Amino acid sequence: MFHAHPGLKNPEYYVPGLASEYVAQRYGIAPGDIAKLGSAENPYGVSPKAKTAVADALDRLHLYPPWTAEPLRDKIADTYGYQPEQVVCGAGETEIISLLIRAFCEPGGKILMPGPCFPIYHLFAEAEGRIPILAHEATHRPAMALDPEAYAAAIDHDTRIVFITNPHSPSGTWLEEADVRRVIEAAPQALVVLDEAYVHYSDTPGYIHLAREYEHLIVLRTFSKAYGLAGLRIGFGVAARPIIDALLAVKPTWNMGQLQIAAGVAALDDNEHVARTVSTIVEARHHVQGRFGELDRFRMVPGSRSNFFLVEILDPDTDSTEVFNGLLERGVIVKDGAVSWRGLDDRFLRCDVNFTERMDRLVDALADMG
């Protein structure tokens, strides 16, 4: 007898980027010779200030943390000009996304998202018995960019949640503020979720200020990328107090541990680490764009403002899974669009931006396959 609810009868799971250790063991490649370009991780690693703070917090592991992650909540509020009561902290953005779906969309309710998009949006929606609506028609395929007018037109009167990702995943493309406002204002009856996980790489401060203007908007950010804290799982959202109050009612009481809180507080002061990371990514993004001009079977989809980009496979005689496996054999890890994103089909790979030498490894491996 199956006891879970029907949405979990045949569950689908998120497909993470492969680990270097797995590829090293399977293909007999030294771990140090592998270019890991499938998880959008920080090439410089953890924020030094966060690392020190974690070490200092080890003596507090026997104590329960504040249930709202109060020190981190206060620090985020002070950093971005909000009140602490307008901030919620979570074990990565992914936890907050799950809480939003639970709190703001009833079972059977509709959740709108771009197509393709971050898979967690539709995976969590289905796991909770909600209906994800992927607006594939709103994505301009050659540019893999969201058309804000078409996306706004896809919002129905009974849409409960609308997701916007900026920069977008998996393409890295960017929406200007007027376009984001267009979508927000087209959904007054819904909760709009602006996911700014990769905003540091956009060379802008992002649109976190919009949560002060729109009572039906929450802006999400993460410490996993520019701060290099993916392994600790720290994310947050800012919104009007009624939205935050609802999230506090459904979140696990102690969802943030002592180490997460300490690391997040310290990382927000580590501007040097963030600036160094962003500078390296922007330089490498420009470098790899130039190098893709050497290839005739692959195209780098332009316009990324993130630490990843899409590669379109132009050769009709091969597909993304074949190229993905060929890259693994050459010690390069990327993500296979056919496996990781609904609607991306078998014509695309998503590749991280990393140190320029790893970008060269990617381009050289693709050239070697042709």
Side-chain angles (χ1 to χ4, degrees), residues 193-209:
V193 182
L194 175 56
D195 183 348
E196 293 193 328
Y198 303 97
V199 72
H200 291 92
Y201 304 108
S202 70
D203 197 30
T204 79
Y207 307 139
I208 198 168
H209 61 280

Side-chain angles (χ1 to χ4, degrees), residues 284-306:
R285 197 169 62 202
H286 179 74
H287 171 79
V288 73
Q289 183 174 1
R291 286 224 53 198
F292 260 82
E294 304 169 18
L295 305 175
D296 56 9
R297 297 175 64 229
F298 306 96
R299 177 181 78 102
M300 178 179 174
V301 177
S304 175
R305 300 277 290 273
S306 188

Side-chain angles (χ1 to χ4, degrees), residues 335-347:
K335 294 197 85 168
D336 179 357
V339 173
S340 297
W341 287 276
R342 290 183 189 174
L344 203 54
D345 304 322
D346 62 359
R347 308 312 304 161

Side-chain angles (χ1 to χ4, degrees), residues 6 14-15 23 33 55 57 67 79 89 92 106 109 134-135 151 170 187 202 226 246 274 276 286 293 311 363:
Y14 180 75
V15 181
V23 176
D33 292 336
W67 80 279
T79 300
C89 300
E106 72 284 355
L134 279 81
Y151 193 54
S202 70
V274 172
R276 181 189 186 203
H286 179 74
V311 173
V363 175

Side-chain angles (χ1 to χ4, degrees), residues 145-169:
L146 188 69
D147 179 338
E149 290 297 325
Y151 193 54
I155 300 170
D156 289 331
H157 70 280
D158 58 350
T159 301
R160 301 292 294 134
I161 297 176
V162 177
F163 280 102
I164 312 169
T165 316
N166 204 37
H168 188 61
S169 177

Side-chain angles (χ1 to χ4, degrees), residues 123-350:
L123 294 178
F124 280 6
E126 290 169 337
E128 293 283 356
R130 280 65 168 171
I131 302 173
I133 308 295
L134 279 81
H136 294 290
E137 70 281 1
T139 297
H140 182 254
R141 294 297 290 192
M144 294 306 296
L146 188 69
D147 179 338
E149 290 297 325
Y151 193 54
I155 300 170
D156 289 331
H157 70 280
D158 58 350
T159 301
R160 301 292 294 134
I161 297 176
V162 177
F163 280 102
I164 312 169
T165 316
N166 204 37
H168 188 61
S169 177
S171 64
T173 51
W174 180 254
L175 289 175
E176 298 298 333
E177 183 172 328
D179 295 327
V180 173
R181 287 180 181 273
R182 171 73 180 89
V183 176
I184 295 170
E185 292 169 4
Q189 82 291 355
L191 176 72
V192 179
V193 182
L194 175 56
D195 183 348
E196 293 193 328
Y198 303 97
V199 72
H200 291 92
Y201 304 108
S202 70
D203 197 30
T204 79
Y207 307 139
I208 198 168
H209 61 280
L210 293 180
R212 282 190 285 272
E213 299 184 36
Y214 297 100
E215 293 185 350
H216 64 301
L217 171 69
I218 183 168
V219 181
L220 304 183
R221 290 198 177 181
T222 182
F223 287 78
S224 296
K225 312 304 178 185
Y227 296 107
L229 293 170
L232 268 185
R233 314 305 306 130
I234 311 170
F236 69 91
V238 297
R241 185 165 179 176
I243 294 174
I244 301 301
D245 288 347
L247 294 173
L248 294 182
V250 297
K251 85 170 185 66
T253 304
W254 294 287
N255 63 325
M256 300 292 291
Q258 295 280 12
L259 303 188
Q260 293 163 292
I261 294 170
V265 170
L268 283 171
D269 285 328
D270 205 342
N271 296 324
E272 181 180 351
H273 184 69
V274 172
R276 181 189 186 203
T277 298
V278 171
S279 175
T280 295
I281 295 302
V282 171
E283 179 182 348
R285 197 169 62 202
H286 179 74
H287 171 79
V288 73
Q289 183 174 1
R291 286 224 53 198
F292 260 82
E294 304 169 18
L295 305 175
D296 56 9
R297 297 175 64 229
F298 306 96
R299 177 181 78 102
M300 178 179 174
V301 177
S304 175
R305 300 277 290 273
S306 188
N307 61 337
F308 53 77
F309 57 92
L310 284 177
V311 173
E312 183 179 9
I313 300 165
L314 303 177
D315 184 349
D317 295 326
T318 189
D319 60 34
S320 60
T321 301
E322 183 177 348
V323 176
F324 171 80
N325 288 324
L327 289 173
L328 290 183
E329 294 172 2
R330 292 162 174 81
V332 178
I333 302 172
V334 298
K335 294 197 85 168
D336 179 357
V339 173
S340 297
W341 287 276
R342 290 183 189 174
L344 203 54
D345 304 322
D346 62 359
R347 308 312 304 161
F348 294 91
L349 305 164
R350 199 192 80 173

